[in-house]
Amino acid sequence: MFGSLRLFRAAIFGGVVLLSGMTAYSQISGTVSVCNEPAVVTFIPVELSFSNGQILKTATDDLGYFRFYGSGVDTFRIVVKSPYYSALDSVFLISKWNGGEIQLCVSPAGLTLQSEELVVKGSRVVDDPLSYKHNEYKVLPGSFQDPSRILLRSPGFTTDNDGANGIVFRGMPPEMHRWQLFGADIVNPNHLPNAGTANDLATSHAGGVNAFSGSVLGNYHFERNPASISYADVGSGTSSLSMADSLQPFIDLNLIGVEAGMGATIGKRKLYASYRYSFVGLLEKLGVGFGNERIGYEDVAFYADLLRNRKSKLRVFGLSGSSYNIHDPVNSSNEELQSFKDMQSITFRNTLSVFGIDHLFHTGRRGIFTNTLVWSSRNTTRHEESDSLWMVKTGFQRTSYHLSGEKMLSLHSRYDYSNLQGFRMQVGMRFSITDRQWQSQLVTPDSLINQTFYPYSQVSGDQLLFTVPIRWTGGLAIRADKHVDLRIGVEPYLQFETRLTSPSKIQLRYRMATTPNFADPLSVSMTGLGGIRGNHFQIQYTYSGEGYLAGSNLFTHVFSKMPVYKIDDQSHASFRRGDGGDEWLSSRYSVGRIANLVVLYQLERKHKETNRIFMMGTAIHYRGGYLRQQLADVNNSDVVGVYRPESAYIFPLNDYMRVDFRFVYKRSGTKKGVVHRWSLDIQNLLNRQNDGFFYADPIFKAVYLQKQLGLIPVLSYRLEFPVLSIP
């Protein structure tokens, strides 16, 4: 997928969907909505054309619903037209259709098919490369069925460490990344949040495995700054997750985890549940060891529609899981120490839970009211102590205990109104209560409770400036935070967009966003350091052609009141002032250059009763090396840490490059509806040893460079069955 940055959210573009069904149906119906928004498209013309030349016409109603009767052929296409913008057609070939509703959404990229039960073949020009459908991140190389891992295929993105799904966008640190579920803020939803870190402590932004597996995840979107005013706490960006609204019964066996799920449809309501267990943990249970380190996780997820009709939808959802990373010391009687860690006993455990309810209600003919309430929590402990026999041999001892936890109750209420004249209004409110706890060594645990109230409003419309059509958007939010004292701020948002020609457009966006400090561990109070205020500005030009999208952008992100905080003995602030006070120096993530290349090939073979799809793809990611400070003298007893804190980031690591590869073979039966999928996903195909981080070894009195992960193959097999339908 290629592209530049995200364009405006609203808009109605024309589009074409070509469907090929195996059976004739007497009724074809569906809905048209706005992509990534809880808004429907009302009273827009919809045409149905058949291969025999017959054309049927209708329009969506006040709920975005359309219906055709009397269709009796197996090939047809749906055309959605807009009188406001030039059409950017998208063509999909549908090889399986169960006669259910056809769910379509419109965006500046054109028409998108959202019905998960349909098997789609084809390609589309994507105006927003940061929104991924459920079927896309299941086949892209190096994804491990985690959409946040494939963001580095897009301009401006790179990864912090191959061992975790941390997101570095435009040089801003991964700590500035946040997570949402159905539009409500949640805690870090990842297993093994210590993965890829130098200090082996949990982070608040990333982890080794996303607890929401690719089976239960629906669409994924990354909203980056300058972000819509409806997003709060936006530093670099927010990963917006949604759970799939349906699930085929399945069994999935792969080297990441063994998973099974059951889905059913009761009338119009849908429900499902899934369970996953770490594959490595399962082998350990069976007696297969992996040296002196044990890693595992498990999770269970569910989704259920309590109410589902044309007017309203009420659903509940949840997830609960745990993970562990246990390191045993090497045998002191017949083994030698290779590093200080070899003599340590380390136990890391993490628990995670997310539960919520979401209600969507259509008000009047063009409005929609949505309320989402989510409770999420994360608790992590890490206990380290030296082996008693190694203590006698080396005369060295280290014992440590760390605890961190975060509980969050988040509410997001919003009302969305739009009409055929291009006017759109969003009014909403976010409210959250967050309780953060931490403990280092055996001291009394500390905690910080923060309350955030965030009302916002955003209006969009069309205007002629002389003879030039302008799409404008203005938004304003008030942010109030209460922990020890009360702080109130105002956050504006502005956007202007126009088409220079039919395929080209230019856009200006500005957003002021305030976020709490991203200090880690959580013992650094917001009261002492305050928040971080960012001013984000971007000018973007894009040109869309048949099968490609090109563009360029100019942007700036300026932060104020940004502290220099310490994580892994490294300063993670985006920019850091020098000793002179007026000089701005580079940050750790000033890589200077990023390049991506993704190549996908698909071949389909159809037989009378079987469809076969072969897909192969490769992805290349290259960037400059991260910068580091001057290394400290570990022989000096007064020096604490790996780096000299007063030094600047001027020492580059080696350039980073990674090649990923994926092969997918899918076979589906046209009658029984059973689907088989075999996949081989390889991260770091060339086994390149990219630089990770430096660490100090107190036993050998030296500083060592830790390399990142090498070649990681993930072989998987998935078996899917038809959804159980109960009238």
Side-chain angles (χ1 to χ4, degrees), residues 624-628 649-655 691 694:
Y626 288 148
L627 303 180
R628 65 168 177 84
Y649 286 86
I650 58 175
F651 302 97
L653 301 178
N654 293 320
D655 288 0
D691 292 348
F694 284 91

Side-chain angles (χ1 to χ4, degrees), residues 189 403 441:
L403 177 148
Q441 307 304 340

